[in-house]
Each structure stands twice: as C-alpha cells, then as structure tokens.
Amino acid sequence: MKQTIVSILTILTTLTVFGQDISGEWNGLLNVPGKQLSIVFNIKKVDTGFKSTMDSPDQGAKDIPVTTTSFENSTLKLTIESAKIEYEGILDKDNKIVGNFKQAGHSFPMNLSREKIEKEKLIRPQEPTKPYPYYSEDVTFKNEKAGITLAGTLTLPKKEGVFPVVILI
C-alpha cells in the first residue's frame, strides 16, 4: 500500500513539473538605487532544454544572449556570463516567478510575470512643479568694474521667521 501511494505521488509530482511551461516572455521591474529598469526574459523550449535572451528596454538593449537557462523543480536559473548577471527564482502557484537578480556582486529582488509591469511614478523633490512652496525671483547684479552682469535665483520661504542662508556660486 505504501509503495502504491509513493508511486502515485511521484507520478503526480512529475506531471506537475512537466506541466509547467515557462516558454514565452517574462517581465520584471528591477529597482536599483535611484531608478527602475524594465527587464524582459524571452525563453524558448529547445531539444536540449531551454534557450533565452534578455532585453533591457530602458537601456535600449535587446536580444542579449543568456549563457545558461535551466528550469528544474519549479526553479528558474539564468546566467549571462559576459555581463556577470544571474537570476534565480521560483515559479509560484500564481504563475509568477519570485526571485533575485544579481550583477557584479549586487543582489536585488525581482519578480517576473507574463504581464507587462508598469513602473511606479517616482516622486523627485529635486524636480519641483509649480506652484512652488517658496517664493522665487530671478535677480541680476552689474559689476561695473569688470563690465559683466551676474545672474541668479533668489528663493525665500513663504512664511515669516529666521532661516539659514546658502549662497551657491
């Protein structure tokens, strides 16, 4: 009886593993300091296993050959030796691959999905939009002796008080 149960479980596990088709386009969003990069792996089934390429659309890179592609026990492993890139992830029950992207000693979590992934809109305080939370005025100073005009932007808080001053030249 035990042997029958073990045999049935082995057959079901084998069918599940062979039933997982990872061929096709897999999209990921790589969050690196200061920006997000779209990454696309294109995986094809071949006689000897799998063959794939990588695209980095934000960097204008397409069809980068992946050195090795393996998929065993729901684990996808991809390496690009020339760029020192490794990706390893596990296919979950929602047909998403949860894993890590490694390059040159740095590791970043990156999940893959068959759907296109929208980038998050980054809020950049160094690129403010009007109306500004401060008063701003363009100013000029004439240097009669040197015969030149210096120009700059004066920014002041919109409220009363004592504030530190910074002059950038």
Side-chain angles (χ1 to χ4, degrees), residues 81-108:
E81 290 177 7
S82 61
K84 295 184 169 88
I85 292 174
E86 296 176 16
Y87 179 80
E88 183 172 334
I90 298 173
L91 182 64
D92 68 12
K93 61 181 170 34
D94 297 324
N95 204 28
K96 296 191 187 306
I97 300 174
V98 178
N100 287 300
F101 182 97
K102 296 178 186 174
Q103 185 172 22
H106 301 283
S107 181
F108 304 96

Side-chain angles (χ1 to χ4, degrees), residues 3 12 24 26 35-36 50 53 72 80 87 89 96 111 115 119 129 135 141-142 147 159 167:
Q3 191 173 15
L12 289 175
W26 290 90
K35 69 182 348 183
Q36 297 173 322
F50 295 97
T53 61
E72 295 176 13
I80 302 173
Y87 179 80
K96 296 191 187 306
N111 299 337
E115 293 87 40
K119 290 183 181 181
T129 56
Y135 170 78
F141 302 91
K142 288 191 185 244
K159 56 185 176 180
I167 299 175

Side-chain angles (χ1 to χ4, degrees), residues 156-157 159-165:
L156 300 169
K159 56 185 176 180
E160 296 295 321
V162 178
F163 299 96
V165 174

Side-chain angles (χ1 to χ4, degrees), residues 101-153:
F101 182 97
K102 296 178 186 174
Q103 185 172 22
H106 301 283
S107 181
F108 304 96
M110 184 177 77
N111 299 337
L112 300 175
S113 170
R114 292 194 183 271
E115 293 87 40
K116 299 273 186 211
I117 299 173
E118 294 295 321
K119 290 183 181 181
E120 296 173 23
K121 181 150 175 83
L122 297 177
I123 299 169
R124 297 180 178 263
Q126 72 271 25
E127 297 173 5
T129 56
K130 291 183 179 181
Y132 301 129
Y134 50 84
Y135 170 78
S136 177
E137 176 184 344
D138 290 329
V139 293
T140 58
F141 302 91
K142 288 191 185 244
N143 183 333
E144 301 290 338
K145 188 174 182 182
I148 60 171
T149 301
L150 301 172
T153 304

